[in-house]
Amino acid sequence: MSGTATGGRSGIFAGDDPFEVVRSWQAEAAKSEINDPDAIALATVDADGLPNARMVLLRETEADAFVFYTNYESAKGSELIASGKAAFVMHWKSLRRQIRVRGLVEKEDGAGADNYFANRPLQSRIGAWASDQSRPLKSRAELMARVAKAGVSHGPSPKRPPHWGGFRIRPLEIEFWADGDFRLHDRFRWRRKDLLSAWDVDRLYP
């Protein structure tokens, strides 16, 4: 790791596993951030290479990946499936820190998705059946009518829709950023050539 010895990595940046650093920052943010400390700005690209970005909720930081859930037929779902790549940023105003991630994407549509869906509020589960996410909607009344119909059709224990599940982002790059005086921020970038390679760490100019 090139940055470990020469980059002065210590304090909030210390550690040999970037996911441990992520979880440490997330734990701090959970105590200080007023709303949605697990929110991320997720970036994808469409078939023409035009970027898209939106806020989603990160639901799990695994040993080597990040997981969130959505409608596979939504704009982000379609773009993630087509490209197999994504990027996101987590930013916490209360901590004046952010984490940037770039990597490869795979579906999480097995037991993990089933378990997560089963623990969502009932109305959210019904909504997953009722909403044609990202597609045109004539009125709010039409949406609510679809929700009512889905509630009757699927009952009090709706199963996970086949078009709804998770995505797992396996990073090739993770950057940790912390605010510094006079815009002289601290930045450390972890990179690897592929998912089997060791991480290389560099301090970056602010």
Side-chain angles (χ1 to χ4, degrees), residues 8-202:
R9 227 167 21 88
S10 61
I12 62 172
F13 296 99
D16 296 326
D17 181 349
F19 291 92
E20 290 183 2
V21 180
V22 171
R23 283 188 285 271
S24 174
W25 287 26
Q26 287 176 312
E28 288 187 67
K31 299 175 183 177
S32 63
E33 202 73 4
I34 296 175
N35 292 312
D36 297 327
D38 54 349
I40 62 175
L42 175 72
T44 58
V45 293
D46 66 14
D48 297 319
L50 187 66
N52 254 326
R54 77 290 282 164
M55 303 302 296
V56 301
L57 297 179
L58 182 66
R59 288 311 190 189
E60 189 172 0
T61 299
E62 298 180 329
D64 197 32
F66 302 95
V67 181
F68 69 95
Y69 294 89
T70 190
N71 187 317
Y72 289 142
E73 296 175 354
S74 65
K76 62 180 167 299
S78 299
E79 290 168 4
L80 288 167
I81 291 169
S83 71
K85 300 174 183 177
F88 71 79
V89 59
M90 288 184 277
H91 175 245
W92 300 293
K93 288 185 176 181
S94 60
L95 298 180
R96 297 183 180 273
R97 298 181 208 168
Q98 69 178 19
I99 298 173
R100 297 175 58 230
V101 172
R102 303 170 72 207
L104 308 179
V105 176
E106 62 186 40
K107 278 186 176 182
E108 166 51 86
D109 58 358
D114 290 336
N115 292 336
Y116 176 75
F117 188 80
N119 287 300
R120 299 183 87 206
L122 175 58
Q123 291 301 315
S124 296
R125 285 178 280 158
I126 292 173
W129 280 101
S131 176
D132 289 333
Q133 195 174 54
S134 300
R135 278 157 282 186
L137 173 65
K138 292 181 180 179
S139 67
R140 180 78 180 180
E142 179 180 333
L143 172 62
M144 299 315 294
R146 288 179 62 108
V147 169
K149 183 178 180 180
V152 172
S153 299
H154 298 285
S157 299
K159 294 183 179 180
R160 179 173 62 90
H163 60 263
W164 193 98
F167 283 104
R168 178 176 286 106
I169 300 177
R170 297 193 181 277
L172 296 174
E173 184 174 315
I174 303 176
E175 181 189 318
F176 298 92
W177 178 101
D179 183 64
D181 293 337
F182 308 109
R183 309 296 292 174
L184 299 177
H185 313 303
D186 285 310
R187 298 173 62 188
F188 287 93
R189 181 182 60 199
W190 298 62
R191 286 197 299 182
R192 54 185 176 179
K193 295 180 180 179
D194 54 56
L195 298 179
L196 299 178
S197 298
W199 291 101
D200 184 62
V201 188
D202 292 296

